[in-house]
Amino acid sequence: MQQSRIYTPPHAASQEPLALSIRNTVGKGAHFCPGLKLSVCLGLPGVPIGLLAGLRDTKAQQTTLHPLVGRVFVHPLEHATFLRLPEHIAVPPTVRFTYHAHLQGHPDLPRWLHYTQRSPYNPGFLYGTPTPEDRGHQVIEVTAYNRDSFDTTGQRLLLLIGDPEGPGLPYQAEFLVRSHDVEEVLPSTPANRFLTALGGLWEPGELQLLNITSALDRGGRVPLPIEGQKEGVYIKVGSATPFSTCLKMVASPDSYARCAQGQPPLLSCYDTLAPHFRIDWCNVSLVDKSVPEPLDEVPTPGDGILEHDPFFCPPTEATGRDFLTDALVTLLVPLLVALLLTLLLAYIMCCRREGRLKRDMATSDIQMFHHCSIHGNTEELRQMAASREVPRPLSTLPMFNVRTGERLPPRVDSAQMPLILDQH
């Protein structure tokens, strides 16, 4: 069951009434805000409009853009583009969006195109400078994620990359702006402000942005989370008019030498970029393409024969050599040494034995008698054990009486007789 109440603003009687729809059960969206599953619509500007979680239809929209070769290209990804909202309602700052962009049929963007977004509350940017190899058309697919409602929607960007019209820009200068991050100079307002301020340091003429690159992409370090610390951004500007004397002095070798010693660079003119842009004047580079570079001389192939040189004495022809002797020496000498060592070891182990006679003569008679008696007794015991007919010693009989000399008959099984007769 649905309950709805209609409010009419008291200050605008002629205005079309808006509705506040509250759903108690799962059903279709609100009546007056199609595309929103749960929404609050008010007609008063500046009044909170509640949860704006709806997105456009799942069918991707297509937008055609015309980047130019050698010119910076910036395309913002605004939250309002992916939300289905009336034109007179602004996007609240609490809406969170993230984006993912890639080349159609590929997992990533083209090499010349970059994507950046500071946080889900800020818009995203696609920016870069196409090269002559990128001429033609490219399709970029953008997917937007609503972090509040978890809805997604897509957008297709058709990039028709062509050549710029008008004269070329042979005079190019690159500046390192330490007071900004890359997403802070991508909008048109700060970019135009930078060109206007730079016009005071350049000869009169039109200036155009050629490239914008984050300092992190050039090897810069991530700054500490301190207020006022920025990542930095490189801005490349081109013009058809020559550089001013002030810029030439800043990029001179003397100025770089002063920077290497920790001294301020040579800046003879007023810094018109301050205080909005803090430029690192020790990182200014100027490129003059008005003078064509000399072509590299193509080396002429010769006949491969060196010219006559009195200081060069080529080696004479090598005479033939017989390596049989060297081979025999290399093989036979180690074999001969191994054979001699083998014979010496055999003589020491086999021919240098002392012998039994010499050992017996060096042993004392008492020790030899004791040794022989042990061997003799051992042999006698072995012979006695081998011959069962020899009577056993009286001391070994089980029932031998030492005082009386009595013993049991030999045929009596001694194993069945008790050791002590009193046990019966």
Side-chain angles (χ1 to χ4, degrees):
M1 178 178 179
Q2 293 185 347
Q3 299 177 0
S4 61
R5 293 181 294 174
I6 301 178
Y7 294 89
T8 302
H11 66 284
S14 61
Q15 187 178 4
E16 181 181 358
L18 300 177
L20 173 62
S21 300
I22 304 175
R23 294 191 303 157
N24 297 330
T25 58
V26 177
K28 297 183 179 180
H31 298 290
F32 295 93
C33 296
L36 298 181
K37 295 182 180 179
L38 179 60
S39 62
V40 179
C41 299
L42 298 179
L44 298 177
V47 179
I49 60 175
L51 178 62
L52 298 175
L55 295 173
R56 291 186 182 271
D57 298 335
T58 57
K59 183 179 180 180
Q61 300 178 354
Q62 180 168 324
T63 305
T64 304
L65 302 173
H66 299 273
L68 300 177
V69 174
R71 303 293 188 270
V72 67
F73 166 77
V74 179
H75 177 69
L77 301 176
E78 301 287 349
H79 297 349
T81 307
F82 300 90
L83 280 172
R84 179 183 291 273
L85 295 177
E87 297 181 357
H88 63 278
I89 298 180
V91 179
T94 58
V95 176
R96 298 181 303 164
F97 269 89
T98 56
Y99 305 93
H100 175 71
H102 64 91
L103 183 65
Q104 188 179 30
H106 297 78
D108 207 347
L109 290 171
R111 182 177 299 180
W112 66 271
L113 194 60
H114 306 275
Y115 165 75
T116 183
Q117 185 182 14
R118 177 58 55 178
S119 68
Y121 300 98
N122 303 113
F125 291 94
L126 293 174
Y127 69 99
T129 302
T131 60
E133 291 78 10
D134 299 319
R135 291 190 185 95
H137 70 280
Q138 296 178 352
V139 179
I140 306 298
E141 295 180 350
V142 181
T143 304
Y145 301 90
N146 190 329
R147 295 306 178 181
D148 296 326
S149 63
F150 305 102
D151 292 336
T152 60
T153 187
Q155 185 183 33
R156 185 177 292 112
L157 304 177
L158 178 60
L159 305 182
L160 302 179
I161 304 174
D163 294 324
E165 299 179 356
L169 305 176
Y171 300 96
Q172 301 176 3
E174 190 174 51
F175 303 90
L176 174 57
V177 183
R178 295 194 177 275
S179 59
H180 288 70
D181 295 330
V182 63
E183 63 272 1
E184 296 177 350
V185 298
L186 289 177
S188 58
T189 301
N192 294 333
R193 182 185 303 171
F194 179 83
L195 294 178
T196 303
L198 184 61
L201 302 177
W202 208 302
E203 294 293 338
E206 183 181 2
L207 302 179
Q208 296 187 20
L209 289 176
L210 301 183
N211 191 17
I212 297 177
T213 307
S214 174
L216 300 181
D217 298 337
R218 297 284 190 89
R221 302 181 62 181
V222 178
L224 296 175
I226 302 176
E227 186 176 359
Q229 296 290 334
K230 301 291 184 178
E231 299 173 356
V233 57
Y234 285 90
I235 301 180
K236 192 173 185 179
V237 182
S239 177
T241 57
F243 303 115
S244 62
T245 306
C246 178
L247 292 178
K248 292 180 180 180
M249 185 177 296
V250 170
S252 62
D254 296 338
S255 180
Y256 290 149
R258 291 173 59 89
C259 292
Q261 298 175 0
Q263 301 178 5
L266 298 175
L267 187 61
S268 60
C269 55
Y270 176 71
D271 186 3
T272 57
L273 293 170
H276 301 288
F277 300 94
R278 182 164 55 89
I279 305 299
D280 186 358
W281 294 107
C282 292
N283 284 278
V284 176
S285 60
L286 305 180
V287 178
D288 185 2
K289 296 184 178 181
S290 60
V291 179
E293 298 180 359
L295 299 177
D296 297 336
E297 296 183 1
V298 180
T300 303
D303 53 2
I305 301 176
L306 297 177
E307 298 179 358
H308 176 69
D309 187 356
F311 300 100
F312 176 70
C313 297
T316 56
E317 295 183 0
T319 58
R321 291 185 56 186
D322 186 10
F323 294 97
L324 179 61
T325 304
D326 298 339
L328 293 178
V329 172
T330 304
L331 296 177
L332 295 180
V333 170
L335 292 177
L336 182 61
V337 172
L339 180 61
L340 293 177
L341 293 177
T342 303
L343 295 177
L344 179 62
L345 181 62
Y347 172 74
I348 292 175
M349 296 186 64
C350 300
C351 303
R352 296 288 297 174
R353 296 177 61 87
E354 294 180 353
R356 183 176 179 181
L357 178 61
K358 184 177 181 180
R359 182 194 64 186
D360 294 343
M361 292 177 63
T363 306
S364 62
D365 295 339
I366 297 177
Q367 186 175 359
M368 289 296 298
F369 180 78
H370 179 68
H371 180 73
C372 292
S373 63
I374 293 176
H375 278 277
N377 296 336
T378 303
E379 293 295 333
E380 181 182 1
L381 291 176
R382 290 178 178 176
Q383 292 177 3
M384 293 173 61
S387 177
R388 299 298 181 182
E389 298 179 357
V390 177
R392 296 173 59 182
L394 297 179
S395 59
T396 60
L397 293 178
M399 295 302 298
F400 174 72
N401 194 338
V402 180
R403 291 177 300 173
T404 59
E406 292 182 339
R407 61 177 183 177
L408 295 176
R411 296 183 178 180
V412 177
D413 188 2
S414 61
Q416 299 179 359
M417 296 300 294
L419 297 177
I420 301 176
L421 299 178
D422 295 341
Q423 292 180 355
H424 289 280

